[in-house]
């Protein structure tokens, strides 16, 4: 039978691998390859599409090219226009030089495609620029309503724009960082013979001890009917017949796979149903997990993490993404601290590369914490104890001291605080401790604290069953609502089967991938926004107000006495020390504290409103935007003005009662009696007759004080961290400046608030700000407006120092407590 010759396919349809096989092709000289490559990049018939990253690379691109991206800014002049173009491949932009006609219709946010020549720039801000020959608008942009305006956007605001926030240069850089770290982790595991696995996201494993789970169920398509009293609630039909969950950990699946192929790893999403108001607890995040079979030492597992992070940090340091991260941190820190911020991040990477990666036991870690407290080196809100786990504050201290600002392994935790599946420690020195320990570890790094955790898994069936009994995990007799026994967890059945059928010694770890990215980038997701909690701000404000008014109350009484117009002869003082001695000798030392309870009653709620309003208005006006050392004087002044308007409405009546009781010869015995008498004799208006004057004084006073405090604080402490010295100094200087400038208004306010006790008929009948000012000027001239200037400044400087110190201390306490949870 004749044979049909094989059909020969055209070369263009042959498989690519076949064309490139050694037996099918002749060698091509390198010079020819270079010619082909150059011809493809710089064809005369078409302009190659370039990215900004490639334009800024050392290899010069083709002179004629096309650039796709978004307009960041545009400047239009009579004869020429300049547009800054960004495409997400780099933090930097490229300047495109356009004609006015080409720039028509361009605004921030417009997507464009620009073709032109990449030529040297005559300007000094960039080495080269794109001289546009043609431009196409690919996507229109409504500039007026675009939420991403040319200003700093807070993380809280950007969370409401998940579809747009990645266009910001920094967010695009973090996406590139995530891609690079993922690639390097994959490369490390590949060269070390790990098998990548993709465990299911929907699983029957609830991973006892790993966290609260989200239970999976289909969306209901019908409205459920409420059963009557004589009807039994129908049992819900489960979509999967048995409960299924969103995975909280892939550990169980990886343990099974590791005993099939030796070493496995995965990078997959995990879900935790933990309600929390801190950024440390996320409902969805990525977890990098690995399991190693046929290993009997937990140090082998730690070696894998150490090698992986060293490999990743080495490549990040040498990459363009790494250089842009350093530049971004330097720009955010400002010119004064840019070198420090850049070197701190570079030192963090170098710490991962060089080590020393110390390893200490939990027992030794607790001893070091307790020793630091005993020597007065530090104080902890939660005392370190062998029977408790490490708190965030403990982990930070250990990472900074024992870890020397770098990574630190803490090993061999007590069995009582760890999950049932962990194998006992093999180190014989652990046996001397009172509590048995397990072969496990936590990896701690500065700021982020716990980055990874792992252990040896108990692979012996009898020992595992005993550990389960100790944790109460094998009780399968719990009655359900329909009086049926609840079945044991399916994940436990799997776990036992792995021990029944050829189990091997093995260990593994889980690493929070998002935390790793935060650590490598220097952008911490744990920091709370300044306006973090209304209730916490109000409590902090109340604490600050009571502290401020209580400590300096005697000096405030002297100020009131010295500001009274036409006082009685026995209440005339030559100075602060004379007033203090005279009052103490004639009226008794306790007189200096008359009316204090009125201040305590009023200052708490008034300052709660005061600081809550301040934080809310400052946040809405952008006062928290930008780097920590960026000044926002208008936002600070406006927020201070709004705060005092709200708080003075509450405080003014208490202030009236206070000053009535502070006066010489006051007949009032208590705050309630004074309030009743003033209301009975003068009516409700007496409590607010000075309110307009109070606002005329306190609005500029607070605006000046807040503006000065914010600016002085940012000069003294550009990092923005809690620093008692800064808060105290800035608060005192700001208060003294504002007090000196607003003393005339304070004198007028005192006259209005004490008029009811005046013997002079003219003073008793003063009814407003201008009339009071005229009376003071007519009787004492301009110097009358500065009566009590020294005691006012002496009172205000320590008062505002105490107030800001107390407020910032309270805020720091609430933030620390939130992080500790």
């Amino acid at each position: 039978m004749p044979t049909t010759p094989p059909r020969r396919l055209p070369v263009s349809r042959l498989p690519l691998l076949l064309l490139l096989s050694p037996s099918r092709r002749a060698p091509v000289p390198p010079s020819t390859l270079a010619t082909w490559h150059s011809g493809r990049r710089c064809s005369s018939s078409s302009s190659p599409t370039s990215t900004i990253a490639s334009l800024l690379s050392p290899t010069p691109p083709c002179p004629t090219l096309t650039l796709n991206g978004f307009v960041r800014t545009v400047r239009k002049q009579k004869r020429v226009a300049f547009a800054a173009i960004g495409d997400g491949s780099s933090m930097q932009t490229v300047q495109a030089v356009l004609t006015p006609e080409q720039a028509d219709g361009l605004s921030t946010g417009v997507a464009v495609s620009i073709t032109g020549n990449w030529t040297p720039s005559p300007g000094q801000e960039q080495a080269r620029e794109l001289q546009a020959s043609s431009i196409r608008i690919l996507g229109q942009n409504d500039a007026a309503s675009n939420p991403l305006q040319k200003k700093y956007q807070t993380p809280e605001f950007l969370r409401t724009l998940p579809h747009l926030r990645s266009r910001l240069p920094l967010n695009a850089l973090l996406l590139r960082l995530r891609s690079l770290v993922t690639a390097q982790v994959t490369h490390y595991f590949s060269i070390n013979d790990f098998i990548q696995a993709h465990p299911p996201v929907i699983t029957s494993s609830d991973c006892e001890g790993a966290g609260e789970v989200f239970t999976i169920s289909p969306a209901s398509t019908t409205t459920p009917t409420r059963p009557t009293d004589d009807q039994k609630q129908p049992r819900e039909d489960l979509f999967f017949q048995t409960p299924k969950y969103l995975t909280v950990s892939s550990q169980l699946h990886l343990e099974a796979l590791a005993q099939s192929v030796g070493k496995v790893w995965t990078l997959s999403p995990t879900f935790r149903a933990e309600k929390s108001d801190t950024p440390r607890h996320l409902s969805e995040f990525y977890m990098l997990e690995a399991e190693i079979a046929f290993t009997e030492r937990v140090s082998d597992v730690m070696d894998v993490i150490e090698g992986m992070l060293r490999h990743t940090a080495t490549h990040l340091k040498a990459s363009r993404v790494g250089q842009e991260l350093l530049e971004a941190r330097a720009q955010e820190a400002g010119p004064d601290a840019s070198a420090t911020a850049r070197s701190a991040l570079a030192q963090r990477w170098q710490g991962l590369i060089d080590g020393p990666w110390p390893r200490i036991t939990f027992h030794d870690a607790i001893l070091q914490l307790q020793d630091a407290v005993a020597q007065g080196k530090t104080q902890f809100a939660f005392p370190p104890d062998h029977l408790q786990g490490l708190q965030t504050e403990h982990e930070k201290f250990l990472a900074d001291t024992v870890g020397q600002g770098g990574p630190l392994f803490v090993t061999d935790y007590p069995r009582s605080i760890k999950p049932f599946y962990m194998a006992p420690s093999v180190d014989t020195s652990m046996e001397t401790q009172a509590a048995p320990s397990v072969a496990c570890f936590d990896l701690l790094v500065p700021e982020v604290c716990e980055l990874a955790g792992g252990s040896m898994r108990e692979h012996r069936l009898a020992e595992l069953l005993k550990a389960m009994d100790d944790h109460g995990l094998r009780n399968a007799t719990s009655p359900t609502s329909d009086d049926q026994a609840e079945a044991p967890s399916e994940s436990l059945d799997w776990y036992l089967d792995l021990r029944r059928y050829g189990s091997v010694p093995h260990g593994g770890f889980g690493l929070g991938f998002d935390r790793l990215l935060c650590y490598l980038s220097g952008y911490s997701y744990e920091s709370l926004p300044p306006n973090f909690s209304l209730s916490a701000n109000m409590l902090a404000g109340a604490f600050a107000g009571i502290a401020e008014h209580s400590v300096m109350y005697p000096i405030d009484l002297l100020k009131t006495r010295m500001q009274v117009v036409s006082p009685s002869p026995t209440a005339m003082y030559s100075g602060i020390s004379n007033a203090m001695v005279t009052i103490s000798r004639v009226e008794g030392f306790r007189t200096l504290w008359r009316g204090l309870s009125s201040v305590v009653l009023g200052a708490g709620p008034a300052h709660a409103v005061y600081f809550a309003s301040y934080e809310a208005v400052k946040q809405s006006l952008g006062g928290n935007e930008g780097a920590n050392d960026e000044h926002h004087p208008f936002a600070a002044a406006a927020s201070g003005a709004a705060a005092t308007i709200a708080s003075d409405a509450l405080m003014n009546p208490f202030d009236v009662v206070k000053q009535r009781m502070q006066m010489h010869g006051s007949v009032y015995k208590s705050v309630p009696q004074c309030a009743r008498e003033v209301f009975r004799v003068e009516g409700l208006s007496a409590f607010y007759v000075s309110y307009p004057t109070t606002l005329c004084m306190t609005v500029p006073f607070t605006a000046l004080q807040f503006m000065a405090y914010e600016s002085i604080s940012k000069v003294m402490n550009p990092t923005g961290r809690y620093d008692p010295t800064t808060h105290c100094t800035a608060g005192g200087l700001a208060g003294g400046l504002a007090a000196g400038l607003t003393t005339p208004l304070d004198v007028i306010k005192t006259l209005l608030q004490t008029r009811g006790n005046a013997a002079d008929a003219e003073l008793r009948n003063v009814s407003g700000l201008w009339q009071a000012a005229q009376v003071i000027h007519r009787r004492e001239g301009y110097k009358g407006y500065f009566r009590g200037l020294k005691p006012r400044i002496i009172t205000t400087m320590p008062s505002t120092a105490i107030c800001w110190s107390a407020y910032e201390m309270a805020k720091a306490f609430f933030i620390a407590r939130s992080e500790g949870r």
Side-chain angles (χ1 to χ4, degrees):
M1 187 173 182
T3 60
T4 304
R7 182 183 173 204
R8 180 165 298 185
L9 295 174
V11 173
S12 61
R13 296 184 61 185
L14 288 175
L16 180 61
L17 290 178
L18 187 61
L19 288 173
L20 297 180
S21 63
S23 61
R24 294 282 181 169
R25 65 173 174 86
V28 180
S31 58
T32 306
L33 287 175
T35 303
W36 290 354
H37 182 66
S38 176
R40 285 194 300 272
R41 289 189 62 199
C42 301
S43 171
S44 59
S45 60
S46 62
S47 301
T49 300
S50 299
T51 64
I52 292 179
S54 65
L55 293 180
L56 301 177
S57 64
T59 304
C62 302
T64 302
L65 54 89
T66 297
L67 177 65
N68 299 324
F70 294 89
V71 176
R72 296 272 176 81
T73 60
V74 60
R75 294 181 291 116
K76 300 177 183 178
Q77 301 177 4
K78 289 185 178 180
R79 298 183 179 181
V80 68
F82 302 95
I85 308 299
D87 66 352
S89 66
S90 171
M91 286 278 287
Q92 300 185 41
T93 59
V94 163
Q95 177 171 280
V97 183
L98 314 167
T99 64
E101 293 75 20
Q102 290 174 330
D104 187 32
L106 295 188
S107 62
T108 300
V110 171
V112 294
S113 179
I114 302 178
T115 300
N117 294 324
W118 185 239
T119 61
S121 173
Q124 298 181 353
E125 296 183 359
Q126 61 281 322
R128 304 178 75 89
E129 61 189 14
L130 184 61
Q131 293 281 347
S133 58
S134 64
I135 181 171
R136 287 192 303 137
I137 295 179
L138 304 178
Q140 293 290 346
N141 170 61
D142 186 351
S145 61
N146 191 331
L148 297 181
Q149 298 293 332
K150 292 185 293 182
K151 64 177 183 178
Y152 174 81
Q153 312 287 348
T154 65
E156 291 71 36
F157 174 71
L158 292 176
R159 288 192 187 102
T160 66
L161 303 171
H163 54 304
L164 297 176
R165 63 189 179 204
S166 58
R167 295 187 186 180
L168 296 180
L170 178 59
N171 287 357
L173 172 61
L174 296 180
L175 283 176
R176 297 199 303 277
L177 170 67
R178 190 182 194 96
S179 177
L180 181 143
V181 174
T182 302
Q184 294 307 322
V185 167
T186 303
H187 181 247
Y188 172 81
F189 282 122
S190 176
I191 62 178
N192 285 277
D193 300 323
F194 278 77
I195 306 300
Q196 185 176 12
H198 297 280
V201 173
I202 299 177
T203 175
S204 58
S205 168
D206 56 3
C207 276
E208 285 80 6
E212 299 296 330
V213 295
F214 285 104
T215 303
I216 295 295
S217 63
S220 177
T221 57
T222 60
T223 303
T225 58
R226 185 180 182 89
T228 60
D229 294 339
D230 58 346
Q231 290 179 329
K232 190 174 183 180
Q233 173 71 44
R235 185 170 182 175
E236 180 183 1
D237 292 330
L238 297 176
F239 182 84
F240 293 104
Q241 284 75 52
T242 59
K244 296 296 181 287
Y245 317 100
L246 289 178
T247 180
V248 297
S249 171
S250 299
Q251 175 186 329
L252 176 57
H253 294 277
L254 294 182
E255 284 192 52
L257 297 175
Q259 298 187 50
S260 302
V261 293
K263 298 185 291 187
V264 293
W265 76 282
T266 187
L267 177 61
S268 58
T270 54
F271 307 86
R272 302 286 172 91
E274 298 177 359
K275 288 187 177 181
S276 173
D277 58 357
T278 71
R280 288 179 61 86
H281 299 84
L282 304 178
S283 297
E284 177 182 359
F285 58 97
Y286 268 73
M287 181 79 77
L288 192 158
E289 298 177 86
E291 288 290 328
I292 309 169
F294 302 102
T295 184
E296 300 184 46
R297 300 180 303 171
V298 72
S299 59
D300 294 339
V301 184
M302 290 188 281
D303 290 342
V304 171
I305 296 182
E306 183 176 333
M308 177 192 68
L309 294 180
R310 180 178 286 112
H311 175 90
T312 302
T314 300
H315 285 79
L316 174 60
K317 180 182 177 182
S319 69
R320 180 176 183 83
V321 170
Q323 296 306 309
E324 289 194 347
L325 277 172
L326 295 176
E327 293 170 5
R329 294 299 291 168
Q331 291 173 3
E332 285 197 350
D336 296 334
S338 59
T340 303
R342 183 186 181 100
S343 62
L345 185 58
Q347 186 177 0
R348 177 178 293 187
W349 299 344
Q350 199 64 43
L352 292 175
I353 298 172
D354 297 337
W357 294 83
R359 301 176 182 184
I360 64 170
T361 65
F362 176 84
H363 175 74
D364 291 338
I366 293 296
L367 292 180
Q368 295 213 26
L369 293 171
Q370 293 175 341
D371 184 60
V373 173
Q375 295 183 16
K377 296 179 180 179
T378 186
Q379 292 293 327
F380 298 116
F382 299 90
D385 188 277
H386 282 91
L387 300 180
Q388 304 293 328
L390 295 177
Q391 302 291 331
T392 300
E393 57 180 346
H394 304 153
E395 294 175 344
K396 287 182 177 179
F397 181 83
L398 291 171
D400 292 336
T401 56
V402 181
Q404 304 174 30
L408 164 71
F409 285 108
V410 179
T411 67
D412 300 285
Y413 283 70
R415 171 174 290 279
S416 60
I417 63 175
K418 286 298 181 179
F420 73 96
Y421 54 77
M422 292 187 176
S425 299
V426 296
D427 189 349
T428 56
S429 64
M430 296 295 101
E431 298 176 0
T432 62
Q433 299 179 18
S437 62
V438 288
C440 66
F441 65 87
D442 282 344
L443 174 61
L444 310 181
V445 293
E447 295 188 27
V448 175
C449 297
E450 183 187 343
L451 182 61
S455 72
M456 294 301 296
R457 321 306 192 187
E458 179 56 79
H459 68 286
R460 299 165 298 178
L461 179 61
E463 284 76 2
L464 182 64
L465 289 173
K466 183 180 183 306
M468 291 171 61
D469 289 336
D470 294 341
H471 285 76
L473 294 177
R474 287 208 298 163
N475 182 11
T477 60
S478 301
T480 59
S481 57
D482 57 358
D483 298 329
Q484 294 180 0
E486 182 181 346
S489 170
E490 185 176 345
S491 61
L492 289 180
D493 290 342
W494 288 16
Y495 219 67
L496 296 175
D497 281 351
L498 290 177
R499 275 70 183 166
R500 289 190 181 101
Y501 308 124
S503 178
V504 301
H506 62 286
F509 69 88
L511 180 147
F513 194 68
D514 300 280
R515 287 194 180 187
L516 173 61
L517 297 177
C518 290
Y519 184 66
L520 293 176
S521 66
Y523 292 94
S524 175
Y525 65 88
E526 296 182 6
S527 57
L528 294 172
N531 193 26
F532 61 96
S533 166
L534 176 61
S535 59
N537 276 328
M538 296 187 72
L539 286 173
F543 172 68
I546 293 173
E548 170 194 2
H549 288 284
S550 300
V551 174
M552 299 305 300
Y553 188 82
I555 307 298
D556 183 68
L557 180 138
L558 300 182
K559 174 190 73 74
T560 299
R561 293 277 185 102
M562 297 177 72
Q563 286 182 341
V564 171
V565 179
S566 298
S568 63
T570 56
M572 298 181 66
Y573 313 108
S574 60
I576 297 176
S577 58
N578 173 256
M580 181 79 73
V581 172
T582 301
I583 294 173
S584 300
R585 186 184 69 248
V586 176
E587 305 174 52
F589 181 75
R590 294 180 60 185
T591 303
L592 296 173
W593 302 93
R594 283 176 57 89
L596 175 62
S597 57
S598 176
V599 169
V600 173
L601 289 173
H607 275 67
V609 172
Y610 184 75
F611 280 104
S613 302
Y614 157 68
E615 293 287 2
V617 174
K618 186 177 71 167
Q619 177 79 6
S620 63
L621 293 180
N624 295 323
E625 297 176 354
N628 288 321
D629 61 344
E630 186 173 328
H631 296 255
H632 298 280
F634 171 76
S639 59
T644 197
I645 291 172
S647 65
D648 282 345
L650 286 174
M651 190 63 190
N652 208 82
F654 294 95
D655 201 43
V656 170
V657 173
K658 176 200 74 172
Q659 291 198 320
R660 293 291 181 95
M661 297 186 70
Q662 286 178 335
M663 291 184 64
H664 174 71
S666 174
V667 297
Y668 306 114
K669 303 299 182 183
S670 65
V671 170
Q673 182 217 358
C674 179
R676 286 195 303 268
E677 288 298 314
V678 172
F679 178 75
R680 182 179 64 82
V681 176
E682 303 174 52
L684 180 63
S685 62
F687 294 106
Y688 285 96
V689 66
S690 63
Y691 183 58
T693 305
T694 299
L695 292 183
C696 289
M697 180 196 71
T698 55
V699 167
F701 170 81
T702 311
L704 288 170
Q705 182 207 158
F706 278 41
M707 186 165 53
Y709 174 78
E710 293 280 349
S711 297
I712 295 172
S713 295
K714 290 184 177 181
V715 171
M716 294 182 63
N717 182 23
T719 64
R721 296 179 179 176
Y722 173 66
D723 179 32
T725 303
T726 296
H727 304 317
C728 183
T729 305
L733 293 175
L737 173 65
L741 295 176
T742 57
T743 295
L745 291 169
D746 191 51
V747 174
I748 296 173
K749 186 193 77 166
T750 299
L751 171 59
L752 292 170
Q753 292 190 161
T754 59
R755 62 175 189 166
N757 286 37
D760 191 315
E762 183 184 25
L763 298 180
R764 193 165 53 250
N765 294 320
V766 170
S767 61
L769 185 153
W770 295 113
Q771 185 180 0
Q774 290 171 354
V775 169
I776 295 171
H777 182 265
R778 185 171 63 252
R779 294 193 177 197
E780 303 181 34
Y782 286 107
K783 67 177 183 180
Y785 293 121
F786 292 93
R787 292 173 62 91
L789 174 64
K790 289 183 179 179
R792 174 167 166 78
I793 294 178
I794 292 175
T795 301
T796 305
M797 287 189 68
S799 293
T800 51
I802 292 169
C803 181
W804 281 110
S805 299
Y807 177 65
E808 297 289 357
M809 180 180 69
K811 278 185 64 176
F813 167 76
F814 287 120
I815 292 175
R817 189 178 70 169
S818 297
E819 289 183 348
R821 286 202 302 268

